[in-house]
Amino acid sequence: MAFIDMDFDTGFKTLNLKEKGTKSEKKLKKKSRHSSRRRSRIIDYLDTDIATDKLEEDITCQGCHKKFTFGRVPKILHCLHTLCSECISVTLMLSDEKNKVKCAMCEVFSAGKNAESFRTQSYIQILSEIASCYEGQLNESLHCIGCTNVAGLRCLTCNENYCQEHTDFHVRSRATSHHKVLSFKQILNTPLLISTIKREEHCPTHTNKLMEFFCFTCRLPLCTACALAQHKDCLYEELGTAITTLKQKFENLKPAFNRKQYNLKKADSALDAAQKQVDGELGHSMAGLSDTMDRIMRTLRQREASINHHIEDHRKEGQGELRVHESVLEERIANIESGVDFVDTVFEFWSPIEVLSMEHDILERLSELAGDGGGSSEEIKPKPFELPPDTEGNVVDAISTMHNVALAKATSNVSEEEVGEKGDIAEKEI
């Protein structure tokens, strides 16, 4: 039996599916109160108990970096990334490519006449709505559907917000006793709870019948009556069977994803090793240069500065090229991980109809990611560093020349003019 317990942080009672009053539950609540003292980066209006980077990323458009709202509906592009409807509309208006939206993350183009041409990301939309409701609870602007009291709980079955009093009535009522009612904080702490609600869709023509089939010819969900009357010559399949087949297609693609991800990560590791090699070689070169320059006279310091400048330019050039490789590899890895995460989210939170409607776009994009070329560690080879040719020979010859000049001056074999001329020649040789 599910008990209703008090949430100490919000002042609202919440459903607890465990046995009431256990020691482990009390320890968990005590730990939660203590953990709230440890501060971390928070999402604008959410407190530290539920603030995570993952939640912030999920409810934020990566194009305009604003939270998804009623006017900024999360839409899925063909590359499986999500942008808000406002960003898509603005991009279509300003883009040189007609009826094409450029993804802000992977820069892949998606065809569509307007924002409504793209499917809504229902899971992100619900999560954003819950976050907005929690903000309303904190500033006391969100009211219960049955009264003017502040709402702090959501029925995930009927998607309505309630105060504590109406929640008690809702869960005790025979007609709604099976509904799942949780606080906004509980839902944001455990978004997977959203997937536990079974979403059933009824036929718009035969309103008393559920959608049980999917027509692959017309790309439409069907009820039994529609399938028998209007789609007898079409290719359609029962939703459960169709979704099982589609899952198997995704499972068949996973080994290719894993291999691709492994190769990209291996190339990234090789890139790190190459960067260390560049740093090591440069350090060795700097040490060798220092040993060489220590052997020359004070008047040769200008040459030392020139060589140091040459080394610095080489280091910047080498590391710049490696950073470009690293950026490309990280982008490919991110696209692979994003695609896999999206597939997992699709099967976890979407209805079979939503999944099957996106089958073509999802399979096309994932196949594209799995077959994307590049990523070999053999392509990453830093240029070896070399001192300018004959640097040490020129320095040694110059020192020898200046040494001879000094000896000649000491023995008075040459005039002051000749000493100056030979000294100038020695500096030029460096």
Side-chain angles (χ1 to χ4, degrees), residues 164-268:
Q164 188 61 63
E165 181 180 353
H166 282 87
T167 297
D168 295 341
F169 175 80
H170 195 72
V171 297
R172 284 198 296 265
S173 175
R174 177 177 297 180
T176 57
S177 60
H178 63 285
H179 288 195
K180 186 182 289 290
V181 183
L182 297 168
S183 71
F184 300 129
K185 180 181 292 188
Q186 284 179 309
I187 299 172
L188 293 175
N189 269 325
T190 315
L192 289 176
L193 291 171
I194 297 174
S195 67
T196 63
I197 304 303
K198 184 179 181 181
R199 290 175 289 171
E200 297 179 338
E201 299 186 35
H202 290 79
C203 177
T205 305
H206 310 91
T207 55
N208 62 332
K209 292 185 177 294
L210 295 174
M211 299 290 197
E212 299 181 40
F213 300 91
F214 189 86
C215 177
F216 292 96
T217 305
C218 306
R219 310 300 301 175
L220 293 172
L222 309 172
C223 70
T224 305
C226 288
L228 296 176
Q230 303 172 17
H231 297 264
K232 292 186 294 184
D233 298 328
C234 296
L235 176 62
Y236 61 87
E237 210 169 23
E238 191 270 330
L239 287 178
T241 304
I243 203 68
T244 300
T245 303
L246 184 56
K247 281 185 178 180
Q248 186 57 50
K249 292 179 182 179
F250 291 140
E251 288 297 325
N252 293 338
L253 281 173
K254 277 190 175 181
F257 291 149
N258 293 335
R259 288 193 298 270
K260 187 66 177 179
Q261 189 175 24
Y262 171 78
N263 290 334
L264 290 174
K265 289 184 175 180
K266 184 178 179 181
D268 190 47

Side-chain angles (χ1 to χ4, degrees), residues 125-370:
Q125 187 177 32
I126 294 174
L127 195 62
S128 300
E129 182 184 351
I130 296 298
S132 178
C133 289
Y134 184 64
E135 179 186 14
Q137 176 195 345
L138 294 181
N139 58 33
E140 300 184 354
S141 62
L142 182 69
H143 299 292
C144 172
I145 189 176
C147 64
T148 58
N149 292 333
V150 176
L153 300 106
R154 163 68 70 96
C155 176
L156 293 177
T157 306
C158 55
N159 283 329
E160 298 292 353
N161 303 321
Y162 296 98
C163 65
Q164 188 61 63
E165 181 180 353
H166 282 87
T167 297
D168 295 341
F169 175 80
H170 195 72
V171 297
R172 284 198 296 265
S173 175
R174 177 177 297 180
T176 57
S177 60
H178 63 285
H179 288 195
K180 186 182 289 290
V181 183
L182 297 168
S183 71
F184 300 129
K185 180 181 292 188
Q186 284 179 309
I187 299 172
L188 293 175
N189 269 325
T190 315
L192 289 176
L193 291 171
I194 297 174
S195 67
T196 63
I197 304 303
K198 184 179 181 181
R199 290 175 289 171
E200 297 179 338
E201 299 186 35
H202 290 79
C203 177
T205 305
H206 310 91
T207 55
N208 62 332
K209 292 185 177 294
L210 295 174
M211 299 290 197
E212 299 181 40
F213 300 91
F214 189 86
C215 177
F216 292 96
T217 305
C218 306
R219 310 300 301 175
L220 293 172
L222 309 172
C223 70
T224 305
C226 288
L228 296 176
Q230 303 172 17
H231 297 264
K232 292 186 294 184
D233 298 328
C234 296
L235 176 62
Y236 61 87
E237 210 169 23
E238 191 270 330
L239 287 178
T241 304
I243 203 68
T244 300
T245 303
L246 184 56
K247 281 185 178 180
Q248 186 57 50
K249 292 179 182 179
F250 291 140
E251 288 297 325
N252 293 338
L253 281 173
K254 277 190 175 181
F257 291 149
N258 293 335
R259 288 193 298 270
K260 187 66 177 179
Q261 189 175 24
Y262 171 78
N263 290 334
L264 290 174
K265 289 184 175 180
K266 184 178 179 181
D268 190 47
S269 298
L271 183 62
D272 290 338
Q275 287 180 322
K276 293 179 180 178
Q277 180 182 352
V278 169
D279 291 337
E281 289 183 355
L282 289 173
H284 179 73
S285 299
M286 292 290 288
L289 174 64
S290 178
D291 291 340
T292 300
M293 298 308 293
D294 285 343
R295 295 194 299 266
I296 66 175
M297 300 168 55
R298 185 174 300 176
T299 55
L300 303 178
R301 295 300 179 187
Q302 185 176 359
R303 178 58 176 167
E304 180 182 13
S306 175
I307 297 176
N308 276 326
H309 182 72
H310 177 77
I311 293 174
E312 181 64 17
D313 287 345
H314 177 82
R315 183 183 68 83
K316 290 180 179 179
E317 180 184 356
Q319 290 192 338
E321 293 177 357
L322 293 174
R323 278 194 292 269
V324 171
H325 282 291
E326 183 179 27
S327 176
V328 172
L329 291 175
E330 289 176 348
E331 180 180 349
R332 290 175 178 171
I333 293 173
N335 286 337
I336 290 291
E337 293 175 344
S338 174
V340 175
D341 289 344
F342 180 84
V343 171
D344 294 338
T345 301
V346 162
F347 288 115
E348 190 68 27
F349 303 109
W350 287 20
S351 68
I353 294 173
E354 291 176 320
V355 175
L356 293 168
S357 298
M358 287 290 293
E359 175 187 1
H360 177 74
D361 293 336
I362 295 175
L363 286 175
E364 182 180 356
R365 176 57 177 164
L366 295 184
S367 299
E368 178 184 347
L369 292 174

